[in-house]
Amino acid sequence: MSETYDFLFKFLVIGNAGTGKSCLLHQFIEKRFKDDSNHTIGVEFGSKIINVVNKYVKLQIWDTAGQERFRSVTRSYYRGAAGALLVYDITSRETYNALTNWLTDARMLASQNIVIILCGNKKDLDADREVTFLEASRFAQENELMFLETSALTGENVEEAFIQCARKILNKIESGELDPERMGSGIQYGDAALRQLRSPRRGQAESAQECGC
Amino acid sequence: MHILTLVSNKHPTQRGDNSKCKMQNALGGEESSESDKGSEIGIPPPTTETDRFGFILGNGSTAGGVRTEGPSPELVRQREMKWINIISQWDQVVLKKSSKVKEQCHKGIPASLRAKCWPLLCGASDRMKCQKDLYQTLDSGSALQSWVEIIERDLDRQFPFHEMFLSRDGHGQRGLFRVLKAFTQLKPEEGYCQAQGPVAAVLLMNMPTEEAFWCLVQISEQYLPGYYSPLLEGVLFDAAILSWVLKKLCPAAYKHLQRHGVEPLMFATDWLMCLFTRHLPFNTLLRVWDLFFCYGVRVLFQVAVVLVRRALGRGEQREECEGQMETLEKLRGVKEQVPQDDDTFIAEVCSVTLSKKELNKQTEKELEKWRKERPASTFDPRGRCHGYRTVLARAREKEEINRKERAKGNLSIPRSSSTLSLSPSLLHKRRKRGSKSDTSEWDGGGRASSEVPGDAWGMQSKGLNLWRGSGVPPLPEDRAQVKPSQPSELREPWEGSHASGSVSCQRQGEEQGLTRQGQTRQGPEEHTHFTAQETSHSQHHKDTQEVLTHNQAPVRANRPSEPVVTETTSATETSRGETATHTDIEPHTDARAQDSTPTERHTDDGVQVHTSVEKDENMITNNNAAMETRLNTETYKVVNIDTETDTQHETGKDTETGTHEGTQDKSGSEKEAETETQGEHESAFHKGSEAGVEAKQ
């Protein structure tokens, strides 16, 4: 791979169905709004390298299905996530009310130390707002979350959300609060050489043979 | 002619307004779309041009992305004739010439007939017939508001670049709403799962709303139970099965996945749940569905194997994917690796050596593990339908149940079957059907009850196996109640009619010499009834309908008047025949037969049939058994046929490839211009299957 980066973080995007998770991801990666997105079944992926405090960080983003029943499946994706965007829709109280459940899942299944940013999406639909900024802000504070209101449509605060989350993780690494070497931290060093060393040689021997298909 | 063919590819109800969509029958027209990219706006230009599936051209979406023209009109025409022939004599063809159905499913169902064939294959047609007004009732009734809201929100997220689904008021989105809404009403305990959206949408592209609804019901309930239910247990379970399939069939790719921590749930959840609607070119998708309706879930695994092989089959491909993410991205983008030529892909799929038997065996193993890990779960996938043969068997059972009900005096209730579905006592009768092989382990769950001809259509229960899972055996009274109230003359022993008796005899002959079957098959006579038919495809539907009603009528008319004596005799014959043909494959069947005392033997011959199918899974009391025998001999015959052919089919070659090749070869004797094209297909097929065999060795 030609791309170089200092760190790789695994990110999750979680929250109820229809809150705009996939659109946030699309906006973040493609810098435009996707108005014809299919609903996510299972999980979708995206990755992007960003520059945060002079470090190149590759974000590996797992965009999960929001419908309640998919939780049994999406739970298997949480493992080893370093950060998460917890998304609700400011025009739907129902999606806001579900936040606690999502939070529990994330902390339990990913890691206690997972860095979460709360995103009140669809900021552009202010006229239909059902959840006030203040209210959500308080919730974020109580639960030690960062908080932003975003709009996947206009792109407002979208990149910001990812960057803030990544910045906090970097800070935690620097302060020693997070150890990238620890298994399941969701953080990897991005040094290409280091990665190759880590993958065993026998891997190459194996991959040389055809899949017996 | 060509234009007609293309038109026939459209949604059946759409044929009237062709002005809306100018069909592209020249490749040049389609290619022009390639330059247009990246439009993010869902609003098409006023004059909408579509590909032959109805996907808007000139839009960045690759939803359709089809550049192939499809089979030649002549070939399509020929296949249509064959299918019309099959449809018109469905019952007989399925019993006698099942390989014909399979063969035609492999070749691909003509677009004009999918509306008829898919529902027929999956049993939707039967349910529709039996529960005539149910859909209308549900459709006009109101659903739970919360579901309505969720469904409405998702409507414009299905195939936004398909002409049917462009606007909120278009018949595509409206149809989608009606189908999904009706489903939540039919199965309130399951509700709506987002993955059903794309499935329903593809159905709606091919058939009217009511048919689409019943197909969705059959898929959700019979073919893929647990796939869309609140816990998605079916998907979790099949992800584990897929893991095993990959390990077995593409070991190097499997090792790669393991090394990088890639699990099937990460890449195959929507493959399975959406039946590949989002991951295959549309022409290929339809062909895959043809197979799916024919064989059931097995096809999903086979396709998944092909996709994994295409993404990670070669060493250099795996080297490119040096981490989890890279591997996942490769798998997610597998559509690019799929050839545009659907024949090639289908041949590859069919060459994947995965038999129903193996699958059932693994299901058993996996289920054991599953139950240990999830003691509370009542999920049991063993009863799922492996294609149209199982469907047919169940349809027969249901007919019997209905007949019993009617005999009980329920005739006054017009929608007896839906009433039936609500009956709690019948709900208990839910039982699993599935693996007809290796069922000896099946009693692990502590089941100590007899085989009940379940209300396969009793739709209200949560799983196929409600009573099993909950440890509640079906009450013998459920059946005992039926018997006394049933006068013998009302028993309608059509299973014993000469007609079906001779059918089984013939079949027997065929089964003893599978290879002879094809030779005796008379290609030319198939066409005799249809030579005078119009070439118009819309006409086909009408014709088909007429032929259908015409041909089925006399068979049914025979049934009630048959004397009971005949029934017993022919049942005996049949079961003996069955046992005989079974012996080499399933030796313990004979042992069982010897266990029965001579007196029992006469009346309980059907039980032998029965046991040969379901084997040790029941400890049937003779009373019950005898009664069931009388009522359900036909059912079991059918089940048996299913087993037998499948076993042959598996013994022969472990997958349908064996049978398929056979039939393909034989098809040479049939007069058809198709042969040439088919030849290519065949050779591709041979190569594929050989490769498969080698891989296996």
Side-chain angles (χ1 to χ4, degrees):
Chain A
M1 298 295 264
S2 55
E3 49 186 22
T4 52
Y5 46 82
D6 301 296
F7 288 105
L8 185 145
F9 296 163
K10 176 175 173 180
F11 267 36
L12 294 172
V13 188
I14 51 176
N16 269 19
T19 50
K21 296 179 294 301
S22 299
C23 290
L24 277 175
L25 177 63
H26 195 261
Q27 175 64 255
F28 174 61
I29 288 168
E30 306 283 332
K31 294 210 175 298
R32 61 182 181 210
F33 181 63
K34 192 179 188 205
D35 72 348
D36 61 339
S37 70
N38 285 319
H39 42 240
T40 310
I41 307 297
V43 65
E44 296 290 342
F45 304 94
S47 61
K48 187 175 180 175
I49 297 179
I50 52 171
N51 191 336
V52 196
V53 285
N54 293 325
K55 291 266 191 313
Y56 285 99
V57 176
K58 181 172 183 177
L59 298 184
Q60 188 189 85
I61 305 152
W62 295 51
D63 168 28
T64 62
Q67 197 183 10
E68 169 76 22
R69 66 186 61 194
F70 282 97
R71 282 199 196 184
S72 58
V73 172
T74 51
R75 279 158 178 254
S76 63
Y77 312 141
Y78 281 60
R79 198 156 43 109
L85 270 72
L86 175 54
V87 187
Y88 71 95
D89 173 357
I90 63 157
T91 68
S92 158
R93 177 151 295 275
E94 191 193 338
T95 65
Y96 176 79
N97 291 340
L99 290 175
T100 325
N101 284 337
W102 288 109
L103 207 56
T104 318
D105 267 11
R107 296 233 158 100
M108 196 172 69
L109 298 165
S111 115
Q112 273 301 322
N113 297 319
I114 187 170
V115 174
I116 301 172
I117 182 161
L118 180 65
C119 296
N121 196 28
K122 309 198 186 177
K123 188 170 192 273
D124 49 289
L125 298 175
D126 201 53
D128 303 323
R129 181 188 282 278
E130 284 184 10
V131 183
T132 64
F133 182 89
L134 194 68
E135 185 183 6
S137 177
R138 270 196 207 121
F139 176 84
Q141 233 170 11
E142 282 163 18
N143 293 282
E144 296 172 24
L145 311 170
M146 293 177 286
F147 174 56
L148 275 179
E149 282 194 342
T150 58
S151 166
L153 180 69
T154 66
E156 187 180 350
N157 278 342
V158 174
E159 195 166 14
E160 191 59 26
F162 286 92
I163 290 178
Q164 271 198 25
C165 195
R167 192 185 291 135
K168 179 129 180 214
I169 296 171
L170 276 177
N171 290 341
K172 281 191 168 186
I173 292 172
E174 274 166 23
S175 71
E177 205 177 322
L178 274 178
D179 176 13
E181 298 286 343
R182 195 178 55 80
M183 281 291 288
S185 65
I187 303 160
Q188 283 174 29
Y189 288 111
D191 189 294
L194 197 68
R195 283 183 74 183
Q196 272 189 358
L197 277 179
R198 218 180 281 156
S199 70
R201 267 209 101 66
R202 102 195 131 77
Q204 284 181 359
E206 263 167 22
S207 56
Q209 38 170 282
E210 292 295 306
C211 171
C213 319
Chain B
M1 184 66 175
H2 195 175
I3 291 179
L4 273 177
T5 313
L6 288 163
V7 168
S8 71
N9 286 330
K10 310 301 297 175
H11 186 280
T13 61
Q14 236 178 321
R15 240 168 245 130
D17 61 3
N18 284 329
S19 57
K20 193 179 148 211
C21 43
K22 290 177 189 150
M23 300 310 297
Q24 296 288 303
N25 55 4
L27 263 178
E30 293 189 323
E31 273 161 10
S32 67
S33 67
E34 216 137 21
S35 55
D36 262 325
K37 276 188 190 147
S39 164
E40 299 271 39
I41 305 150
I43 303 153
T47 49
T48 322
E49 292 189 323
T50 67
D51 66 11
R52 67 190 168 106
F53 303 109
F55 288 99
I56 310 292
L57 294 176
N59 208 312
S61 168
T62 51
V66 178
R67 302 279 175 268
T68 55
E69 243 185 318
S72 76
E74 292 75 26
L75 195 56
V76 170
R77 179 83 190 112
Q78 261 166 1
R79 288 182 184 165
E80 281 171 344
M81 295 293 269
K82 289 195 175 178
W83 271 108
I84 288 172
N85 201 26
I86 289 173
I87 293 166
S88 64
Q89 313 166 33
W90 180 248
D91 287 354
Q92 293 98 310
V93 172
V94 169
L95 287 176
K96 285 163 63 184
K97 300 181 177 175
S98 186
S99 59
K100 198 187 247 178
V101 179
K102 288 180 182 168
E103 184 189 340
Q104 292 303 317
C105 286
H106 282 268
K107 289 178 183 174
I109 300 172
S112 57
L113 289 174
R114 285 204 173 97
K116 191 79 208 168
C117 296
W118 284 359
L120 202 56
L121 285 166
C122 73
S125 303
D126 253 331
R127 285 189 78 165
M128 224 168 102
K129 237 184 281 162
C130 297
Q131 299 174 306
K132 251 181 222 148
D133 310 317
L134 185 56
Y135 174 72
Q136 272 71 29
T137 315
L138 295 172
D139 193 35
S140 52
S142 60
L144 209 63
Q145 190 54 29
S146 53
W147 287 129
V148 169
E149 277 166 23
I150 295 172
I151 293 168
E152 275 179 339
R153 197 180 58 208
D154 283 348
L155 287 181
D156 56 356
R157 295 166 94 180
Q158 315 297 345
F159 299 100
F161 295 111
H162 190 279
E163 59 172 359
M164 270 178 73
F165 298 93
L166 287 178
S167 80
R168 194 117 200 136
D169 305 319
H171 71 279
Q173 288 196 30
R174 266 186 311 162
L176 198 56
F177 176 75
R178 290 167 60 192
V179 168
L180 296 172
K181 190 206 83 172
F183 187 86
T184 65
Q185 291 164 278
L186 181 72
K187 310 206 57 130
E189 76 283 0
E190 289 209 3
Y192 158 70
C193 172
Q194 284 187 319
Q196 286 173 313
V199 175
V202 172
L203 290 171
L204 283 164
M205 287 177 204
N206 286 282
M207 62 188 72
T209 323
E210 186 172 359
E211 277 87 348
F213 167 73
W214 285 115
C215 281
L216 183 70
V217 172
Q218 286 297 89
I219 292 172
S220 312
E221 202 177 76
Q222 307 288 329
Y223 274 57
L224 305 172
Y227 264 45
Y228 307 112
S229 61
L231 293 174
L232 303 187
E233 289 177 305
V235 184
L236 297 174
F237 189 87
D238 276 355
I241 297 270
L242 180 58
S243 205
W244 164 80
V245 170
L246 292 175
K247 185 177 182 183
K248 180 168 114 76
L249 295 170
C250 19
Y254 175 76
K255 264 182 209 163
H256 177 89
L257 295 178
Q258 286 237 303
R259 191 162 52 240
H260 296 292
V262 178
E263 295 161 20
L265 273 182
M266 296 173 183
F267 60 88
T269 304
D270 54 353
W271 288 4
L272 297 174
M273 294 186 80
C274 304
L275 312 183
F276 302 102
T277 44
R278 295 172 178 183
H279 298 90
L280 291 175
F282 205 72
N283 53 337
T284 309
L285 176 76
L286 295 172
R287 295 284 305 275
V288 164
W289 280 37
D290 292 342
L291 290 179
F292 172 71
F293 283 116
C294 185
Y295 295 108
V297 71
R298 176 159 51 130
V299 175
L300 301 189
F301 295 124
Q302 287 174 309
V303 173
V305 166
V306 172
L307 293 182
V308 170
R309 282 176 184 174
R310 285 208 162 250
L312 300 167
R314 293 198 308 275
E316 62 265 29
Q317 286 175 314
R318 294 193 293 274
E319 272 168 45
E320 275 171 31
C321 306
E322 53 181 13
Q324 186 190 45
M325 199 52 157
E326 290 82 359
T327 307
L328 283 169
E329 271 167 3
K330 186 88 177 178
L331 287 165
R332 304 296 304 165
V334 75
K335 199 171 177 178
E336 290 158 23
Q337 318 280 332
V338 176
Q340 285 298 335
D341 175 33
D342 44 20
D343 283 336
T344 316
F345 188 83
I346 292 297
E348 257 181 83
V349 171
C350 295
S351 75
V352 174
T353 49
L354 177 68
S355 71
K356 182 175 144 193
K357 200 174 171 184
E358 289 173 293
L359 196 57
N360 283 337
K361 219 169 163 182
Q362 187 59 26
T363 304
E364 294 290 341
K365 280 189 194 164
E366 209 57 60
L367 191 62
E368 239 172 74
K369 227 191 284 174
W370 175 275
R371 292 207 166 133
K372 267 181 209 150
E373 287 165 12
R374 302 170 175 81
S377 169
T378 58
F379 175 70
D380 188 344
R382 289 173 305 183
R384 64 179 158 195
C385 261
H386 291 279
Y388 70 95
R389 298 183 134 264
T390 331
V391 164
L392 187 82
R394 292 190 190 174
R396 291 294 157 86
E397 289 167 22
K398 177 215 59 187
E399 266 179 48
E400 287 302 318
I401 296 276
N402 282 353
R403 205 161 290 138
K404 278 190 227 165
E405 285 292 306
R406 252 176 270 140
K408 272 167 82 179
N410 283 355
L411 264 173
S412 53
I413 301 161
R415 285 202 345 268
S416 65
S417 32
S418 74
T419 319
L420 185 90
S421 70
L422 294 166
S423 146
S425 71
L426 280 160
L427 224 123
H428 279 297
K429 291 189 177 182
R430 266 276 140 132
R431 55 162 298 274
K432 62 111 224 355
R433 300 222 160 56
S435 164
K436 274 129 202 151
S437 58
D438 202 12
T439 41
S440 48
E441 297 167 286
W442 281 22
D443 269 334
R447 187 160 27 92
S449 60
S450 54
E451 186 67 24
V452 183
D455 59 330
W457 311 137
M459 308 146 302
Q460 304 297 323
S461 77
K462 279 183 190 138
L464 286 166
N465 240 339
L466 196 67
W467 57 268
R468 261 196 96 229
S470 55
V472 185
L475 308 168
E477 305 89 74
D478 283 352
R479 281 166 291 126
Q481 282 163 1
V482 180
K483 193 182 170 188
S485 62
Q486 191 175 27
S488 59
E489 58 273 19
L490 280 181
R491 223 182 285 140
E492 301 188 32
W494 57 280
E495 65 271 18
S497 72
H498 290 300
S500 66
S502 64
V503 163
S504 24
C505 290
Q506 280 175 30
R507 189 173 41 71
Q508 227 172 285
E510 281 164 18
E511 277 152 4
Q512 279 158 0
L514 178 68
T515 40
R516 285 203 308 272
Q517 191 186 350
Q519 287 155 6
T520 53
R521 189 147 33 89
Q522 301 278 309
E525 76 178 24
E526 290 168 26
H527 298 281
T528 45
H529 297 299
F530 302 99
T531 40
Q533 263 177 17
E534 284 288 322
T535 44
S536 154
H537 292 265
S538 50
Q539 184 67 34
H540 283 174
H541 281 286
K542 229 191 274 171
D543 291 349
T544 311
Q545 293 286 11
E546 282 162 13
V547 174
L548 266 174
T549 34
H550 177 74
N551 280 359
Q552 283 172 0
V555 181
R556 289 176 192 278
N558 278 338
R559 290 173 194 159
S561 55
E562 287 299 326
V564 181
V565 188
T566 323
E567 167 210 4
T568 324
T569 327
S570 75
T572 314
E573 274 170 27
T574 313
S575 65
R576 276 182 197 144
E578 308 283 2
T579 319
T581 39
H582 258 296
T583 39
D584 49 339
I585 307 160
E586 292 160 6
H588 65 283
T589 313
D590 262 351
R592 267 192 171 258
Q594 283 153 15
D595 285 345
S596 346
T597 65
T599 28
E600 278 170 49
R601 180 132 190 190
H602 180 69
T603 37
D604 288 0
D605 261 333
V607 182
Q608 288 166 23
V609 179
H610 175 160
T611 38
S612 74
V613 180
E614 309 289 347
K615 293 170 211 145
D616 308 327
E617 61 173 309
N618 44 49
M619 298 180 210
I620 229 163
T621 66
N622 281 333
N623 263 350
N624 285 339
M627 191 212 69
E628 276 181 33
T629 308
R630 278 183 230 117
L631 295 172
N632 292 301
T633 317
E634 177 64 17
T635 306
Y636 292 119
K637 266 194 261 170
V638 176
V639 174
N640 229 344
I641 292 156
D642 186 19
T643 327
E644 280 172 11
T645 323
D646 275 320
T647 327
Q648 282 171 353
H649 163 93
E650 279 145 13
T651 335
K653 180 104 190 309
D654 251 18
T655 47
E656 66 281 358
T657 41
T659 321
H660 184 61
E661 278 170 39
T663 25
Q664 290 277 3
D665 291 338
K666 284 164 229 146
S667 71
S669 65
E670 291 175 30
K671 49 123 206 177
E672 50 174 51
E674 199 174 331
T675 328
E676 257 186 42
T677 333
Q678 207 43 53
E680 290 167 30
H681 177 80
E682 258 175 78
S683 56
F685 206 94
H686 276 286
K687 271 178 221 157
S689 46
E690 276 159 25
V693 173
E694 277 164 28
K696 215 190 160 195
Q697 285 159 355

